[in-house]
Amino acid sequence: MTDKEIFSTIEKAAITHELSKGEIVALLQCKRVEEDLAAAADLTRKKFVGDGVHLRGLIEFTNYCKRSCAYCGLRAANKRLTRYRLKDEEILNLAKKAKAYGYETVVLQGGEDDFFSCDRLFNIVSKIKALDVAVTLSVGERSFEDYKKLKEAGADRFLLRIETTNQALYARHHQGMSLEARKRCLENLKELGYEVGTGSLIGLPGDSAETLAEDLLFFKEIDADMLGMGPFLPNPDTPLGAEKAGSFSVTRRLLSITRLLLPTANIPATTAVETLREGGRDIMLNSGANVVMSNVTEGAAREFYALYPGKSGVHDKPEDMRGMWEEKLKSMGRFVAKGKGFRNLTPY
Ligand code: 5AD
């Protein structure tokens, strides 16, 4: 594409919120569009979701996982990880603290751990809901019936990244799992009335501008409410330990295009981005993102929820983080959004 063509492609995305696969590929292959794309995404963000940034309180409640995703430190086969499970009361206590710090959404994230049966989760979710916060679950693939019960317990949202929509690539990195099953989970969650979050792992060995463009078209097709776009970070305790990390620039361009195509979606600036590059999260907040997930887990668990090495913020103090973000966002001309932070479908 010539500069002129690229410029008009960005303009088209900003006006129509539609791009063809070929256009997305062209934007992903052209590093010099990064700043223009980010500027357009930042304007779209402002217009559709405003300057408020939703802060979510994240509780990483178990690092046991029965899956074997090739990239993830929590994979069952990783014997070098110290495993932990928080007790129900510990989870509830962290949720109370999160509420006291001012968070209005609690995200319960964990590996796929059957110890946390549907009944156990039902109990935990019901008690947290009694605190008058929104609850987001991120507990992987479960049956329609489980998702239904958890919705009845009061869960509002669910995060389940598709990681990649490419069949062959999905199969290569997720032994014993299937892309169809994952898509079905997302469909079930939508049908049950959850706000649904998904997203890509960017720079997964074997991905390409084409596979990432297809991911974006899939997000648009299912009208995802939330989109977590994070770079792959090699973990030495996994089979992909020697691979190279996802690119910051590709991640940023992908996030910006995501904002342009799904203007009202809630899009976090991820911890993985901050781990890849210090200050990276702030850059994403100026490139289309409007959400930050702040880890409120305490004690040794913070360190052992090790999806990838060098995770940013492991030694931060949960009680300090909200104030820190208030200050930081103010200095960026932004502010902490009030309320539970549902997707706002009416533009500002
Ligand atoms: N690098 C970056 N992100 C990872 N995740 C898991 N392992 C890694 C890794 N090595 C992401 C996956 C998952 C989310 C909870 O963490 O995308 O969906």
Side-chain angles (χ1 to χ4, degrees):
M1 274 196 192
T2 63
D3 280 7
K4 209 174 143 198
E5 282 167 333
I6 283 185
F7 204 73
S8 66
T9 304
I10 297 176
E11 205 168 48
K12 173 186 156 186
I15 295 167
T16 65
H17 313 296
E18 303 274 353
L19 287 177
S20 69
K21 179 178 165 188
E23 288 166 331
I24 300 171
V25 167
L27 295 175
L28 290 177
Q29 283 174 339
C30 179
K31 199 170 165 149
R32 68 182 192 285
V33 307
E34 184 177 331
E35 296 301 332
D36 287 330
L37 209 46
D42 199 42
L43 276 178
T44 297
R45 186 270 307 153
K46 194 177 169 75
K47 186 163 138 196
F48 285 83
V49 295
D51 285 332
V53 172
H54 300 293
L55 295 187
R56 323 288 200 197
L58 175 68
I59 302 174
E60 295 165 335
F61 68 94
T62 173
N63 72 353
Y64 281 85
C65 190
K66 64 182 178 187
R67 302 291 188 186
S68 36
C69 308
Y71 43 82
C72 184
L74 306 195
R75 64 202 312 273
N78 181 11
K79 302 294 179 224
R80 274 184 273 192
L81 185 69
T82 306
R83 303 281 172 171
Y84 72 88
R85 269 182 193 121
L86 300 188
K87 298 197 170 66
D88 299 10
E89 310 81 67
E90 291 177 309
I91 300 170
L92 186 61
N93 269 328
L94 290 176
K96 284 181 183 160
K97 285 189 173 181
K99 165 91 184 182
Y101 300 146
Y103 295 102
E104 294 185 71
T105 291
V106 168
V107 183
L108 294 178
Q109 188 158 78
E112 292 201 22
D113 180 2
D114 289 336
F115 175 83
F116 287 94
S117 62
C118 184
D119 285 349
R120 185 175 291 275
L121 283 176
F122 186 99
N123 248 302
I124 297 168
V125 171
S126 316
K127 287 185 179 145
I128 297 179
K129 280 303 290 183
L131 305 173
D132 187 28
V133 291
V135 169
T136 304
L137 291 174
S138 178
V139 297
E141 297 182 19
R142 300 245 173 173
S143 67
F144 182 88
E145 288 68 34
D146 279 14
Y147 286 156
K148 186 161 182 281
K149 284 195 196 118
L150 295 170
K151 189 80 185 53
E152 286 160 9
D156 302 280
R157 313 190 186 114
F158 202 102
L159 307 177
L160 184 72
R161 282 192 184 164
I162 196 83
E163 318 292 358
T164 175
T165 55
N166 182 273
Q167 183 83 49
L169 195 57
Y170 190 92
R172 174 171 152 196
H173 293 303
H174 303 93
Q175 222 181 47
M177 296 172 76
S178 86
L179 183 61
E180 289 66 38
R182 207 157 184 87
K183 285 188 174 171
R184 203 172 323 115
C185 284
L186 291 170
E187 267 170 37
N188 290 344
L189 290 162
K190 270 267 175 195
E191 186 186 327
L192 287 163
Y194 284 90
E195 278 200 350
V196 174
T198 186
S200 305
L201 195 45
I202 302 158
L204 202 51
D207 75 359
S208 63
E210 281 78 15
T211 67
L212 294 168
E214 280 166 9
D215 291 356
L216 285 194
L217 295 175
F218 171 73
F219 302 152
K220 196 153 166 65
E221 182 189 315
I222 67 165
D223 190 28
D225 301 298
M226 302 170 283
L227 286 156
M229 309 295 289
F232 159 70
L233 300 166
N235 183 330
D237 296 340
T238 68
L240 300 183
E243 302 288 341
K244 71 177 202 324
S247 136
F248 183 85
S249 175
V250 171
T251 302
R252 187 175 177 211
R253 280 177 278 153
L254 208 59
L255 185 145
S256 294
I257 303 169
T258 303
R259 170 60 66 202
L260 292 170
L261 295 186
L262 290 114
T264 62
N266 282 328
I267 302 179
T270 63
T271 307
V273 164
E274 186 67 21
T275 305
L276 181 66
R277 182 187 292 188
E278 202 182 325
R281 210 166 24 191
D282 302 359
I283 295 174
M284 296 303 163
L285 284 171
N286 289 325
S287 309
N290 71 320
V291 175
V292 170
M293 293 167 72
S294 185
N295 191 352
V296 299
T297 319
E298 291 181 5
R302 277 181 89 83
E303 196 181 322
F304 297 141
Y305 202 84
L307 308 172
Y308 44 77
K311 189 169 146 199
S312 167
V314 163
H315 303 294
D316 290 344
K317 292 205 173 62
E319 63 271 28
D320 296 344
M321 295 320 287
R322 197 171 164 97
M324 189 285 286
W325 277 110
E326 270 167 19
E327 289 300 305
K328 189 207 278 273
L329 289 171
K330 202 153 87 183
S331 77
M332 294 168 71
R334 305 278 285 277
F335 59 89
V336 177
K338 295 226 180 331
K340 295 195 172 71
F342 287 95
R343 181 183 188 184
N344 182 4
L345 290 159
T346 34
Y348 277 59

